[in-house]
């Protein structure tokens, strides 16, 4: 059934679930940082040592994305007990926050004393990243979940026809090409006495259809629960 599920575009929801899982991990990690900074973070004076603005545009796409980066230098610990350390970190900020910064400017950042590398330059930025990752996880989780019942039913139907399908004689109606792939259309008289039509999935190997032409007879497997559905077993392996 797994093979039928993947062939029926089942890899799409799996990919969505993978992205959702990664986003969920990012949401949890960013959320932990935001909570730690809110609970134990302390204000520290920092000096801006670099300001960077990057703009990226995908080839053939008018959409552009911008990144605003601030590098700050600050210290942690105390010189009196030999724990003084100097740090320099780069962080992303919003465009509006970036617009008010200048080189050499001193600003107050938030730092976690036990982990001096964990800082927040723009207030609320870490928590905002956590929220964004959470929405991404939710969105891709929904995208993956919506088609899942349909795809599982489709895969179960293909598995059922493959293992318990009723043999039927069918006739080739048409073989047509779509973007380098070939699709076989066939018709047959079902167990209910009705005339039905079906089609194969896209076939990449021309040898599978070698010698077949409209009017030729083909062996089909009819769904025992739905006589209006049948597969050509040559493409259901």
């Amino acid at each position: 059934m797994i093979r039928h599920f993947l062939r029926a575009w089942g890899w799409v929801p799996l990919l969505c679930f993978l992205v959702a899982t990664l986003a969920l991990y990012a949401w949890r990690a960013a959320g932990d940082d935001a909570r730690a900074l809110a609970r134990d973070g302390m204000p520290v004076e920092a000096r801006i040592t670099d300001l960077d603005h990057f703009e990226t545009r995908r080839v053939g796409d008018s959409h552009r994305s911008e990144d605003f980066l601030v590098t700050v230098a600050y210290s942690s610990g105390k010189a009196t007990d030999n724990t003084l350390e100097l740090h320099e970190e780069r962080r992303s900020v919003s465009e509006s926050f970036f617009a008010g910064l200048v080189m050499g400017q001193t600003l107050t950042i938030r730092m976690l004393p036990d982990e001096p590398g964990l800082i927040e330059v723009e207030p609320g930025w870490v928590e905002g990243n956590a929220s964004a990752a959470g929405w991404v996880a939710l969105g891709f989780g929904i995208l993956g979940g919506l088609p899942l019942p349909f795809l599982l039913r489709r895969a179960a139907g293909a598995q059922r026809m493959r293992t318990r399908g009723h043999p039927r004689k069918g006739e080739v109606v048409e073989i047509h090409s779509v973007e380098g792939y070939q699709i076989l259309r066939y018709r047959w008289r079902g167990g209910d006495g009705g005339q039905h039509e079906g089609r194969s999935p896209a076939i990449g190997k021309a040898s599978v259809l070698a010698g077949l032409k409209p009017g030729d007879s083909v062996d089909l497997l009819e769904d025992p629960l739905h006589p209006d559905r049948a597969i050509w077993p040559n493409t259901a392996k």
Side-chain angles (χ1 to χ4, degrees):
M1 180 174 170
I2 294 177
R3 183 166 57 247
H4 295 300
F5 175 73
L6 294 177
R7 292 185 60 175
W9 294 88
W11 58 269
V12 174
L14 293 181
L15 180 60
C16 289
F17 287 141
L18 175 61
V19 175
T21 301
L22 295 176
L24 191 62
Y25 175 80
W27 168 76
R28 181 173 180 179
D32 289 344
D33 290 346
R35 286 186 291 271
L37 285 168
R39 182 181 62 249
D40 304 319
M42 59 179 293
V44 174
E45 293 297 312
R47 183 173 57 85
I48 297 176
T49 59
D50 195 21
L51 295 170
D52 288 326
H53 169 216
F54 297 101
E55 180 179 314
T56 58
R57 190 190 303 268
R58 290 178 295 184
V59 177
D61 192 349
S62 59
H63 176 73
R64 67 177 185 178
S65 61
E66 295 180 284
D67 293 317
F68 300 90
L69 303 173
V70 179
T71 303
V72 295
Y74 60 97
S75 62
S76 65
K78 299 179 181 179
T80 55
D81 56 7
N82 294 323
T83 61
L84 181 66
E85 292 185 18
L86 299 179
H87 307 273
E88 191 172 52
E89 297 284 345
R90 172 183 284 191
R91 292 293 184 271
S92 295
V93 296
S94 66
E95 181 178 3
S96 58
F97 187 81
F98 185 87
L101 302 178
V102 295
M103 284 288 296
Q105 176 184 345
T106 299
L107 70 162
T108 301
I109 65 172
R110 200 162 184 84
M111 179 193 75
L112 196 63
D114 295 337
E115 193 176 342
L118 179 54
I119 64 171
E120 183 177 59
V121 175
E122 180 179 358
W125 181 262
V126 177
E127 184 178 357
N129 280 346
S131 298
W135 283 112
V136 170
L138 178 62
F140 275 93
I142 293 174
L143 285 176
L146 285 177
L148 192 59
F150 167 76
L151 294 176
L152 287 174
R153 286 197 301 270
R154 186 173 178 180
Q159 177 70 9
R160 183 171 58 247
M161 285 184 276
R162 184 70 185 166
T163 56
R164 299 190 287 116
H166 299 153
R168 295 283 184 261
K169 281 294 182 181
E171 179 186 353
V172 176
V173 176
E174 180 188 18
I175 300 174
H176 64 280
S177 298
V178 178
E179 297 181 354
Y181 291 89
Q182 292 182 304
I183 296 176
L184 172 70
R185 287 184 53 229
Y186 46 82
R187 59 173 167 242
W188 77 99
R189 184 170 297 279
D192 59 352
Q195 191 78 9
H196 306 292
E197 285 198 8
R199 51 176 284 178
S200 71
I203 301 171
K205 295 181 179 180
S207 58
V208 176
L209 296 172
L212 281 179
K213 61 184 182 300
D216 285 353
S217 176
V218 289
D219 294 320
L220 305 175
L221 292 174
E222 183 183 88
D223 192 328
L225 302 182
H226 304 281
D228 59 337
R229 303 175 188 173
I231 58 173
W232 185 43
N234 292 42
T235 58
K237 298 178 179 179

